[in-house]
């Protein structure tokens, strides 16, 4: 059965493009975290028509002693396309910068497009579909991520594509069309941001588990054939980047070791990797970092809404409002935990465990980086979990309120409140702050 969108969904996508685009247009240049460092790569690609070495002086940040070109730069390659179009008419830096941001706005529309398709598969009732869609698309921090130049947006797009491919694979028992879709999602994920790589691992688990379920007696052959098919396409689309790194950086196909080498060589003393005072180097316990250094508080608030360089705050009532939505969903999940994690339906259980793992991994990576490398409690590093989180929140809310007559009113009130926080963020926080 085709999962086609209705007119109202397309209207919603148009609103997403216009609203996100307005936010991107209003923000001055370098409004997002390290945006100038990211934009310099887009500018390099536009000027030279080639990809830079990670230590090229044109893109290096001499404070940090490194650049973002050591890590995958597919997002910046895509941003250079609208920049090229803009450059045909003007060389104004502001318009070129806006051209780069437009690509992220387009990725936002793509992410919400797949989010809608996911919602229509996961939830039968329209009210729950819309709560899922609005939770994802109207979370202020999620919106902000798609309004400046970064590779987080591409990572989130790949996550939505991958989850949709999982659900499609369950429906058509992994047709070659769906296998191709998953392979493309995995390739884009590999070329986006390392904190989204958990979806690659979970995809392997879900694919193997579902193939064995679909072919209980003769699973090995179809598993190998389609598994190799997915791997071949993913490697064909993404492998070039890691081969390039291997050749450029003396066998460092990830690029991180080389990035740290240049940082150690050129960064100012306080930012050299060996001298950064990470919690681990200071013999601080994980609990001290989480509570004493307020990592958990900063992480939670910045996952909901902290803009600019983490310095633009919304009103305090933002956090309890979103907290209610999340808390109700969490309570509902614990209320139905046996049904969620130990369902008699194998495919449902496999999917739930996959979503749970996809939600946990970005947070573990986020914690690991802050504890052992650089103390940065930023919610955006865990944003790849947004679709799994929204799934469990809506699933839990649905379970908890299923016997209450006023569940419809709750969904309307909470959905409207979430939309309001998004609109408020632009017109009463971002615009007044910058103008």
């Amino acid at each position: 059965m085709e999962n086609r969108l209705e007119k109202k969904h397309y209207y919603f996508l148009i609103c997403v493009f216009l609203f996100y685009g307005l936010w991107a247009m209003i923000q001055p240049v370098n409004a997002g975290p390290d945006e100038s460092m990211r934009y310099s790569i887009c500018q390099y690609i536009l000027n030279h028509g080639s990809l830079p070495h990670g230590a090229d002086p044109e893109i290096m940040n001499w404070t940090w002693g490194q650049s973002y070109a050591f890590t995958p730069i597919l997002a910046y390659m895509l941003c250079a396309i609208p920049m090229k179009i803009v450059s045909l008419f003007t060389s104004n830096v502001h318009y070129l910068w806006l051209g780069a941001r437009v690509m992220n706005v387009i990725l936002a529309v793509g992410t919400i497009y797949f989010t809608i398709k996911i919602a229509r598969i996961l939830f039968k009732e329209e009210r729950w579909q819309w709560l899922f869609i609005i939770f994802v698309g109207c979370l202020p921090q999620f919106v902000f991520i798609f309004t400046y130049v970064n590779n987080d947006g591409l990572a989130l797009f790949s996550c939505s594509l991958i989850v949709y491919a999982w659900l499609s694979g369950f429906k058509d028992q992994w047709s070659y069309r769906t296998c191709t879709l998953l392979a493309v999602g995995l390739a884009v994920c590999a070329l986006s941001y390392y904190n989204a790589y958990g979806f690659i691992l979970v995809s392997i688990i879900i694919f193997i588990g579902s193939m064995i379920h679909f072919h209980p007696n003769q699973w090995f052959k179809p598993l190998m054939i389609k598994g190799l098919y997915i791997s071949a396409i993913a490697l064909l689309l993404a492998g070039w980047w890691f081969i390039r790194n291997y050749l450029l950086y003396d066998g460092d196909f990830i690029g991180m070791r080389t990035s740290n080498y240049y940082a150690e060589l050129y960064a100012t003393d306080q930012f050299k990797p060996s001298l950064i005072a990470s919690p681990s180097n200071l013999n601080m316990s994980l609990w001290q970092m989480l509570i004493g250094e307020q990592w958990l508080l900063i992480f939670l608030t910045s996952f909901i809404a902290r803009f600019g360089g983490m310095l633009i705050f919304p009103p305090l009532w933002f956090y309890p409002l979103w907290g209610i939505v999340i808390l109700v969903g969490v309570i509902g999940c614990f209320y139905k935990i046996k049904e969620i994690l130990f369902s008699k339906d194998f495919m449902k259980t496999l999917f739930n465990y996959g979503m749970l793992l996809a939600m946990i991994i970005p947070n573990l990576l986020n914690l690991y980086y802050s504890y052992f490398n650089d103390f940065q409690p930023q919610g955006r590093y865990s944003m790849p979990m947004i679709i799994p989180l929204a799934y469990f929140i809506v699933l839990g809310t649905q379970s908890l309120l299923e016997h209450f007559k006023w569940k419809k009113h709750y969904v309307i009130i909470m959905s409207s409140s979430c939309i309001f926080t998004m609109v408020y963020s632009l017109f009463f926080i971002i615009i007044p702050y910058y103008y």
Side-chain angles (χ1 to χ4, degrees):
M1 184 176 70
E2 288 293 325
N3 183 19
R4 293 182 179 178
L5 272 57
E6 301 174 18
K7 280 187 178 179
K8 56 193 169 189
H9 297 127
Y10 288 109
Y11 291 147
F12 185 77
L13 290 173
I14 292 170
C15 290
V16 165
F17 180 79
L18 294 175
F19 186 84
Y20 283 46
L22 180 61
W23 192 323
M25 183 173 63
I26 284 172
Q27 288 182 138
V29 297
N30 201 27
D34 298 333
E35 188 179 17
S36 60
M37 286 181 66
R38 304 172 191 279
Y39 175 80
S40 66
I41 301 173
C42 307
Q43 187 71 56
Y44 183 99
I45 296 170
L46 176 66
N47 293 341
H48 301 278
S50 61
L51 304 182
H53 185 286
D56 192 294
E58 200 170 323
I59 61 170
M60 281 280 278
N61 180 293
W62 299 107
T63 301
W64 294 95
Q66 54 188 192
S67 77
Y68 281 109
F70 289 107
T71 53
I73 56 175
L74 176 60
Y76 312 131
M77 293 166 64
L78 294 175
C79 287
I81 298 171
M83 284 179 68
K84 180 65 176 179
I85 297 172
V86 172
S87 70
L88 299 175
F89 303 96
T90 180
S91 58
N92 184 288
V93 173
H94 180 79
Y95 291 113
L96 287 173
W97 209 298
L98 181 59
R101 288 175 175 175
V102 163
M103 180 52 68
N104 236 19
V105 175
I106 293 171
L107 288 172
V109 175
T111 305
I112 302 302
Y113 172 81
F114 284 112
T115 299
I116 293 171
K117 293 178 81 68
I118 291 167
R120 286 165 61 80
I121 296 173
L122 291 178
F123 305 103
K124 294 180 180 179
E125 294 184 61
E126 192 174 23
R127 65 168 68 95
W128 303 117
Q129 294 175 11
W130 277 110
L131 183 60
F132 179 84
I133 295 163
I134 289 169
F135 185 96
V136 174
C138 297
L139 182 72
Q141 194 68 26
F142 177 90
V143 179
F144 174 62
I145 280 174
F146 284 100
T147 62
Y148 67 94
V149 180
N150 57 56
N151 50 5
D152 302 76
L154 185 66
L156 296 178
F157 170 77
S158 71
C159 294
S160 67
L161 176 55
I162 288 170
V163 174
Y164 177 67
W166 295 346
L167 294 169
S168 298
F170 293 168
K171 289 172 65 179
D172 63 16
Q173 298 192 16
W174 296 103
S175 68
Y176 281 101
R177 177 179 177 275
T178 301
C179 288
T180 304
L181 191 69
L182 178 62
V184 171
L186 295 176
V188 174
C189 184
L191 294 176
S192 61
Y193 210 176
Y194 296 139
N195 62 352
Y197 277 22
F199 279 81
I200 298 176
L201 172 63
V202 176
S203 293
I204 296 171
I205 296 170
I206 281 186
F207 176 75
I208 293 174
S210 58
M211 285 296 286
I212 293 174
H213 177 75
F214 292 140
H215 309 279
N217 298 319
Q218 296 179 324
W219 55 267
F220 184 77
K221 184 177 180 181
L223 172 65
M224 291 301 297
I225 291 173
K226 292 188 175 179
L228 289 172
Y229 175 81
I230 294 170
S231 302
I233 294 176
L235 287 172
L236 184 66
L237 294 176
W240 64 271
W241 169 259
F242 301 99
I243 294 171
R244 177 180 180 272
N245 277 4
Y246 183 87
L247 297 174
L248 272 182
Y249 307 134
D250 193 27
D252 181 18
F253 66 96
I254 295 292
M256 292 181 120
R257 174 171 53 82
T258 310
S259 179
N260 286 333
Y261 167 78
Y262 280 102
E264 194 66 45
L265 202 61
Y266 295 115
T268 56
D269 286 345
Q270 68 186 99
F271 294 117
K272 291 184 184 296
S274 61
L275 299 177
I276 289 179
S278 68
S280 174
N281 291 338
L282 295 173
N283 294 319
M284 188 184 297
S285 69
L286 184 61
W287 179 257
Q288 280 179 288
M289 185 190 80
L290 291 173
I291 306 302
E293 297 300 314
Q294 298 188 329
W295 189 97
L296 192 58
L297 177 64
I298 300 171
F299 161 75
L300 291 173
T301 55
S302 63
F303 184 82
I304 295 170
R306 281 181 73 168
F307 312 122
M310 294 277 288
L311 298 174
I312 306 175
F313 297 86
L316 287 177
W317 54 262
F318 259 53
Y319 304 117
L321 195 154
W322 278 92
I324 290 170
V325 178
I326 295 171
L327 185 61
V328 169
V330 170
I331 293 172
C333 283
F334 278 108
Y335 177 66
K336 291 282 188 177
I337 193 167
K338 185 176 180 180
E339 183 180 318
I340 292 171
L341 297 182
F342 304 101
S343 171
K344 294 180 180 179
D345 184 338
F346 174 80
M347 295 306 294
K348 183 178 179 181
T349 302
L350 177 66
F351 179 74
N352 287 344
Y353 273 103
M355 291 290 266
L356 184 62
L357 194 56
M359 187 171 67
I360 291 172
I361 291 175
N363 289 291
L364 291 179
L365 293 174
N366 194 357
L367 271 173
Y368 180 89
Y369 182 78
S370 276
Y371 187 72
F372 289 103
N373 291 282
D374 188 14
F375 181 77
Q376 290 198 45
Q378 296 193 40
R380 67 186 177 93
Y381 293 145
S382 293
M383 195 58 73
M385 74 167 176
I386 184 69
I387 288 179
L389 176 64
Y391 168 65
F392 286 115
I393 294 304
V394 177
L395 192 66
T397 304
Q398 188 180 24
S399 300
L400 194 64
L401 303 183
E402 61 184 344
H403 300 301
F404 292 95
K405 293 181 180 180
W406 45 267
K407 61 183 176 182
K408 180 179 179 181
H409 302 294
Y410 173 85
V411 172
I412 292 172
I413 292 170
M414 289 297 102
S415 298
S416 302
S417 299
C418 293
I419 294 171
F420 176 74
T421 61
M422 178 186 70
V423 175
Y424 186 97
S425 295
L426 175 59
F427 292 104
F428 296 97
I429 300 175
I430 296 298
I431 294 178
Y433 182 86
Y434 289 117
Y435 300 97

